[in-house]
């Protein structure tokens, strides 16, 4: 059973030549039933940010503490 989450950055982040702003929100569908979209190294979150915004989550050294998320289903 998959879960759907809305992930929103908490604040503007500028690291390693990348910029992440609170307006850059995404909807993530996880492959497994879980309570957080960051459960498997944030693979789905990384992919969605790259697909929607061209933002490299890993290059910016982001962590779960940089984001708020809510469950939509």
């Amino acid at each position: 059973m998959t879960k759907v989450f809305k992930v929103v950055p908490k604040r503007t982040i500028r690291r390693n030549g990348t910029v992440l702003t609170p307006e850059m929100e995404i909807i993530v569908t996880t492959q497994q039933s879980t309570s957080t979209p960051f459960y498997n190294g944030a693979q789905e979150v990384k992919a969605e940010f790259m697909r929607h915004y061209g933002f490299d989550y890993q290059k910016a050294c982001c962590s779960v503490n940089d984001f708020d998320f809510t469950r939509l289903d």
Side-chain angles (χ1 to χ4, degrees), residues 14-50:
R14 291 181 178 89
R15 293 185 195 136
N16 296 329
T18 61
V19 178
L20 180 67
T21 63
E23 292 81 25
M24 296 168 71
E25 61 185 41
I26 57 171
I27 305 295
V28 175
T29 303
T30 61
Q31 298 298 318
Q32 298 177 5
S33 179
T34 180
S35 62
T36 175
F38 297 91
Y39 72 100
N40 67 342
Q43 294 302 317
E44 289 93 356
V45 174
K46 290 176 188 177
E48 286 298 311
F49 271 114
M50 184 57 76

Side-chain angles (χ1 to χ4, degrees):
M1 177 144 210
T2 61
K3 299 286 182 177
V4 180
F5 296 92
K6 179 178 180 180
V7 180
V8 180
K10 290 182 180 178
R11 62 194 183 316
T12 300
I13 299 170
R14 291 181 178 89
R15 293 185 195 136
N16 296 329
T18 61
V19 178
L20 180 67
T21 63
E23 292 81 25
M24 296 168 71
E25 61 185 41
I26 57 171
I27 305 295
V28 175
T29 303
T30 61
Q31 298 298 318
Q32 298 177 5
S33 179
T34 180
S35 62
T36 175
F38 297 91
Y39 72 100
N40 67 342
Q43 294 302 317
E44 289 93 356
V45 174
K46 290 176 188 177
E48 286 298 311
F49 271 114
M50 184 57 76
R51 188 169 71 89
H52 284 281
Y53 301 107
F55 175 78
D56 191 344
Y57 177 99
Q58 201 145 1
K59 182 179 177 183
C61 300
C62 290
S63 72
V64 66
N65 298 323
D66 296 324
F67 300 92
D68 286 325
F69 60 90
T70 55
R71 197 169 128 196
L72 298 179
D73 58 346

